Amino acid sequence: MSRFNRRVQIPDLQLPKYDDAEEEGDYSDNYGVARLTTTGSNVSDDQEPVVGVKVLRQASRHRDIKGDYLDVPSHSYLMKIFQKQGDKQVLFADKVLKFTASGKMKHRILLITDFALYIIDPETNALKRRIALAAVEKTCLSDLSDNFLAIIIPKEYDLLMASTRKTEIVAVLVEATKSASDFELEVVFSNSFEYNADAELVKEIQFEEVEGGVKTRITRK
């Protein structure tokens, strides 16, 4: 985790102007997260396919900030999941794309409460992972207009996601962590960073600004 270009701490993170992103030759899915496709050519044994060029849609740059985009109180199974742990307040809820250790993309629900992050399978309504806010060391994202966000959890393995609301997620995490533990969550901006895809697998994600968008590559270290 050493290749970081710039580190900042954000006491009062400004909430964002959002960019939707779209795959060249493809289009966004129903979750508002870019549908990402991979190409199989020019891929060596030690790297995974290039995640293609994402073209920015200028028409949807501005969005209202809601926090709960799923209306959690109307879904009893979501309420039961976090209330069972003693959490009291949902600060953020939305559908995201989560990247597995093998590079597959899974649709997941992300809940952020006053004490933890929850990753939930929307097809089975099953809790896949709970991460205490106290376990999060930092978040990593690029300086560019992509949808990727890594949440770094040193005692476990890290979480790589794609969301059109990535900056709002970071803002919520910063404030929630500060409220829960008086800890200033580090926010790292870099166009190249490493993350632990699982306990024994380190990957690097690189971002390159190209004409019309951002090209993203994920490789094994």
Side-chain angles (χ1 to χ4, degrees):
M1 299 282 177
S2 60
R3 296 186 182 181
F4 298 111
N5 296 338
R6 181 157 62 90
R7 289 180 169 85
V8 296
Q9 294 192 341
I10 304 181
D12 296 302
L13 188 65
Q14 295 297 314
L15 293 178
K17 296 179 180 178
Y18 297 110
D19 293 334
D20 268 348
E22 203 170 58
E23 185 71 14
E24 189 173 48
D26 204 348
Y27 35 82
S28 294
D29 62 20
N30 293 330
Y31 301 117
V33 177
R35 181 186 294 136
L36 306 177
T37 59
T38 58
T39 59
S41 60
N42 300 322
V43 179
S44 62
D45 291 339
D46 64 342
Q47 68 180 191
E48 292 173 287
V50 172
V51 178
V53 176
K54 293 168 289 181
V55 180
L56 304 181
R57 281 205 311 236
Q58 299 298 326
S60 55
R61 295 182 63 88
H62 303 282
R63 297 190 178 188
D64 294 331
I65 306 302
K66 292 173 57 177
D68 180 2
Y69 296 91
L70 302 179
D71 191 17
V72 170
S74 70
H75 300 284
S76 59
Y77 76 96
L78 292 177
M79 295 291 291
K80 288 178 182 177
I81 285 174
F82 79 86
Q83 288 179 342
K84 183 179 180 179
Q85 301 293 331
D87 300 12
K88 295 180 172 59
Q89 183 181 9
V90 173
L91 306 175
F92 181 88
D94 198 12
K95 292 180 179 179
V96 300
L97 282 179
K98 174 190 171 292
F99 290 78
T100 68
S102 63
K104 293 180 180 179
M105 293 169 286
K106 301 286 187 180
H107 291 289
R108 292 290 183 258
I109 291 172
L110 170 67
L111 292 185
I112 304 175
T113 71
D114 44 346
F115 289 107
L117 291 83
Y118 294 81
I119 303 296
I120 299 163
D121 187 333
E123 294 184 0
T124 64
N125 300 340
L127 175 63
K128 306 300 289 186
R129 188 177 181 190
R130 182 183 187 271
I131 305 165
L133 290 178
V136 178
E137 179 185 74
K138 59 189 169 187
T139 62
C140 300
L141 59 163
S142 80
D143 288 312
L144 305 178
S145 298
D146 60 90
N147 294 332
F148 288 87
L149 166 68
I151 299 175
I152 309 302
I153 308 109
K155 294 184 179 180
E156 303 177 25
Y157 58 92
D158 303 329
L159 179 62
L160 180 66
M161 301 181 296
S163 170
T164 56
R165 299 186 172 97
K166 70 171 185 178
T167 316
E168 184 178 354
I169 292 171
V170 172
V172 170
L173 284 174
V174 168
E175 291 304 316
T177 303
K178 186 187 300 184
S179 297
S181 62
D182 202 29
F183 170 71
E184 186 92 355
L185 185 68
E186 184 180 10
V187 180
V188 177
F189 292 93
S190 175
N191 292 339
S192 174
F193 57 80
E194 296 177 8
Y195 69 99
N196 284 83
D198 64 25
E200 298 181 351
L201 177 60
V202 178
K203 294 188 177 183
E204 182 178 32
I205 182 166
Q206 299 174 327
F207 304 90
E208 179 185 359
E209 191 166 19
V210 297
E211 184 176 357
V214 179
K215 184 164 69 176
T216 306
R217 180 185 296 270
I218 301 176
T219 58
R220 295 172 183 264
K221 297 297 289 179

